[in-house]
């Protein structure tokens, strides 16, 4: 397989970031695969105060601000908060606030039991009990918590060629890991799912456009246009129609904050 080196150079030399990169063209396989945002939005209620942990550019809150009472979005990346604030002003949304805050390190700055619904897309809180407990501290009893994490099959084709095979060899699934963390912390699980779909890019160049934004966001090093792994990846993952196919996998777990003793002893 021969590459257009000028096209490769053009993509690799761009300034890449999760939100700042040029959007790549892709489609999904068309099977049942609801978006995480759709699940989150379905839980909004007019009386709710909502917390988005790792809010990114704030799109979920800003596009649905008429569905809840008030909301706070926190993120540890100042560029994300700047994007969110700029869009908030453009849309003139008044019931949403954004704050630069590393939730795992600075979550104690938030008032205890002050939110009705806490969620996190690409969650920083669902990997262990510490993160879940930090979230439950600011969640009202009976309140809802929902986490989305990257699943163990996510972009497995990329990891097989470019490295980091740790998730492929783990003995517990991401969903199970998150369920255990929540249950141990006092969450009554109400919903759990794995969502796996195929993403199809028209060619290797569109895939690379997307992948560079992920590598940059994760702090990785971009390959050179002569990196033999690019050719190997394309050879392994090009379909009969000439498209590039990869796996997209996220795990969802949601539940309610239980009282301290949800199963009191019966008195005879």
């Amino acid at each position: 397989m021969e590459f257009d080196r000028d096209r490769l150079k053009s993509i690799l030399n761009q300034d890449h970031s999760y939100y700042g990169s040029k959007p790549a063209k892709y489609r999904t396989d068309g099977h049942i695969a609801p978006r995480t945002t759709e699940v989150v939005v379905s839980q909004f209620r007019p009386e709710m105060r909502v917390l988005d942990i790792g809010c990114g550019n704030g799109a979920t809150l800003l596009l649905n601000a008429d569905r809840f009472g008030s909301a706070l979005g926190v993120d540890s990346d100042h560029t994300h908060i700047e994007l969110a604030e700029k869009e908030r002003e453009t849309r003139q949304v008044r019931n949403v606030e954004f704050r630069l805050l590393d939730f795992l390190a600075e979550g104690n700055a938030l008032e205890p039991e002050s939110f009705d619904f806490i969620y996190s897309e690409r969650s920083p809180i669902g990997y262990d009990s510490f993160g879940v407990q930090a979230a439950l501290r600011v969640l009202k009893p009976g309140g809802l918590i929902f986490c989305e994490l990257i699943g163990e099959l996510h972009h497995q084709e990329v990891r097989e060629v470019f490295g980091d095979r740790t998730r492929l060899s783990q003995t517990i699934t991401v969903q199970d890991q998150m369920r255990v963390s929540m249950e141990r912390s006092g969450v009554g699980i109400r919903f759990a799912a794995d969502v796996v779909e195929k993403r199809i890019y028209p060619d290797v160049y569109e895939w690379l456009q997307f992948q560079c934004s992920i590598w940059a966001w994760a702090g990785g090093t971009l390959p050179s246009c002569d990196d033999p792994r690019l050719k190997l990846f394309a050879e392994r993952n090009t379909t009969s129609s000439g498209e590039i196919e990869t796996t997209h996998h996220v795990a969802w777990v949601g539940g309610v904050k239980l009282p301290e003793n949800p199963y009191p002893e019966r008195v005879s």
Side-chain angles (χ1 to χ4, degrees), residues 30-96:
H31 294 85
I32 298 173
R35 305 278 81 80
T36 299
T37 300
E38 295 172 0
V39 177
V40 169
V41 170
S42 72
Q43 301 304 307
F44 288 157
R45 300 291 182 269
E47 69 278 5
M48 279 183 170
R49 176 155 174 76
V50 177
L51 175 63
D52 180 351
I53 301 175
C55 64
N57 65 359
T60 300
L61 293 178
L62 294 174
L63 293 175
N64 299 281
D66 59 338
R67 296 173 179 265
F68 48 75
S70 64
L72 172 65
V74 299
D75 201 292
S76 60
D77 189 323
H78 71 90
T79 59
H80 292 176
I81 295 299
E82 290 171 2
L83 288 170
E85 282 289 358
K86 181 178 180 180
E87 187 65 17
R88 186 180 71 86
E89 289 300 321
T90 298
R91 293 179 174 272
Q92 297 186 342
V93 174
R94 298 299 175 233
N95 64 332
V96 176

Side-chain angles (χ1 to χ4, degrees), residues 203 207 211-212:
D203 53 41
W207 163 79
Q211 189 60 42
C212 282

Side-chain angles (χ1 to χ4, degrees), residues 193-207:
D194 281 293
V195 180
V196 181
E197 66 182 12
K198 291 295 184 179
R199 284 192 173 180
I200 300 101
Y201 302 83
D203 53 41
V204 70
Y205 307 103
E206 289 295 330
W207 163 79

